[in-house]
Amino acid sequence: MLDNNNPVPLHIQLKEILLKEIKQGVYKEKIPSERELIDKYSVSRTTVREAVTALVYEGVLQKIHGKGTFINQPPSINEWLGYLSSFTETIERMGMKSGAQLLQQGRGSHVEIAETLGVEEYYYIKRLRFADDEPVAIERHYYPLEVGLLLEKYDLNKVTLYEKLEVEGINLHNAEQRILAESPSAEDAKLLGISNHTCVLVAQRLITNRLGSPIEYYHSIYRADKYAFSLKMSRGMRVG
């Protein structure tokens, strides 16, 4: 129970209690309503909301308007870093069906993206990605014009972009990637079927060819309750 004499704020105490009960399986799909938590722990509405909001931002919970606050299940998709894989390859390796819906394509000239690619104008593709017909990611691909225009002739609702680039003789050699957590825009959250108060995973990647010239800048967001990134590491011997 909560301890009013504890220097730890009540909403943090409540958050830790809820987190512990979720891990122990006390709650399977959703947590009690706001009123039920107020009555159970004899705390204010503000305390309950602060505790629940903290767990939402951490990706543990998800609020669905009119239905309640649900527990996010462990990610079912796991992408191992260290090998340059497409979304389709990752999903199919998990034994799931991959899908895509083209949202936008065309030319652009946003300064930061153009500078990253070393061009003045680029070609972009935005797609909503599915795993077993459930939306799990929004991918944004940016290419130098001479590369991106090669993809215009394909049905981008069906193809794997990296495969088609390789067919067109484009060499994908090295990639630098970073992953962070952000809150999605209202538009992206709606596409993914999540609350815009839920954190998503963001992958930013620059792919170059064998000569080090940029081929693709990639910016994608993933549902943190469905998608995870993993990396194997070892501790080498140190001298001295």
Side-chain angles (χ1 to χ4, degrees), residues 18 22 27 29-33 36-37 52 61 69-71:
L18 290 174
I22 290 169
Y27 308 121
E29 295 184 1
K30 59 187 294 189
I31 64 171
S33 68
E36 290 172 324
L37 291 174
V52 171
L61 298 175
T69 304
F70 290 80
I71 299 167

Side-chain angles (χ1 to χ4, degrees), residues 15 19 36 143 157 178 185 203 223 227 237:
K15 172 200 161 188
L19 183 59
E36 290 172 324
Y143 302 101
N157 291 295
R178 72 170 184 160
S185 67
R223 285 179 52 171
Y227 209 99
M237 293 184 63

